[in-house]
Amino acid sequence: MARPRKPLLSRDRIVEAASALVDAEGLEGVSTRRLAAELGVSGPSLYNHFRTKDEILEAVADAVSAKVDLSMFDVDDGREWRQALHDWALSYRAALTEHPHIVPVLARGPGRRPAGLRVADAVFGAMVRAGWPPAQATYIGALMRYFVTGSALGSFARGFVDDATAYDPADYPHLGQAHLLANHQERVDEGAFETGLRALLDGLGVQYEAVRRRPRGPAEARTTVRPAPKPG
């Protein structure tokens, strides 16, 4: 009886194995030798697909970016720009919190990564279509990346130990319940993210109204504007 053939080595198999290592052990857990062992191949065979470890990590990061929903930025989607940013930010954060160890790579920006560039293109294009000047559309894309990746780098709630004696009221009179935060990590962290996101979008809404009131040139006047709804 013939032996079953091993699956052919491919970029997708390498990225899948590298992603599992990153999730389990962090960026330091990935090496070409370790990956080759996990895949049951010789080390040099990886170089037919990736030249360096950094290229592999970039591909892992791009695979995470590819999970982010961009449908809200489609021209015919119908969501106004603020709701679209809100829904996208939730999807973006969900993808990152599933793979927190790769966030430092994603935080460097898209570079040449195709999925990362599609994200940047979708956000920028939607903001310009909504009537934001290109410079401010760029700023919005940047600040949203700062906000989302920052929130995914670590947990606020888990930053406090669950030992009440660590918070002597003589030293920390307002932290009497801090030892309980770690037990409510999801609620605290998601609540903080949603609070910050809505504050950020409300602030952008104020700026947007100022942009709409400003006289526009002929090129700007031809831009289709989808106004944000009134708060409340």
Side-chain angles (χ1 to χ4, degrees), residues 88 92 106-110 140-150:
W88 167 68
Y92 189 8
L106 286 160
R108 296 199 293 258
I140 291 170
L143 74 86
M144 293 299 292
R145 181 162 64 85
Y146 298 153
F147 179 69
V148 177
T149 57

Side-chain angles (χ1 to χ4, degrees), residues 47-188:
Y47 296 117
N48 293 326
H49 302 277
F50 296 98
R51 293 174 297 177
T52 64
K53 169 185 170 178
D54 284 344
E55 283 193 359
I56 295 172
L57 293 177
E58 288 285 320
V60 171
D62 211 39
V64 173
S65 293
K67 297 179 180 181
V68 180
D69 183 14
L70 299 177
S71 63
M72 66 287 297
F73 297 129
D74 290 346
V75 175
D76 57 354
D77 178 85
R79 274 170 277 193
E80 54 85 28
W81 66 268
R82 195 162 62 182
Q83 187 64 49
L85 281 179
H86 176 272
D87 295 348
W88 167 68
L90 294 182
S91 176
Y92 189 8
R93 181 174 181 268
L96 268 57
T97 54
E98 285 184 8
H99 307 280
H101 292 148
I102 201 65
V103 173
V105 178
L106 286 160
R108 296 199 293 258
R112 297 177 180 272
R113 299 192 301 268
L117 289 170
R118 282 193 291 273
V119 171
D121 181 74
V123 175
F124 179 80
M127 294 305 100
V128 171
R129 285 199 309 274
W132 286 98
Q136 286 180 285
T138 300
Y139 303 154
I140 291 170
L143 74 86
M144 293 299 292
R145 181 162 64 85
Y146 298 153
F147 179 69
V148 177
T149 57
S151 74
L153 281 172
S155 164
F156 176 83
R158 292 189 65 181
F160 294 85
V161 299
D162 61 357
D163 179 4
T165 64
Y167 309 103
D168 188 328
D171 296 321
Y172 315 108
H174 306 296
L175 296 182
Q177 302 297 308
H179 65 287
L180 302 176
L181 288 173
N183 294 327
H184 303 280
Q185 176 194 345
E186 184 174 348
R187 181 168 63 87
V188 172

Side-chain angles (χ1 to χ4, degrees), residues 21 25 29-39:
L21 284 176
E25 302 181 25
V30 179
S31 68
T32 54
R33 179 179 297 180
R34 180 77 182 278
L35 270 175
E38 292 286 332
L39 291 164

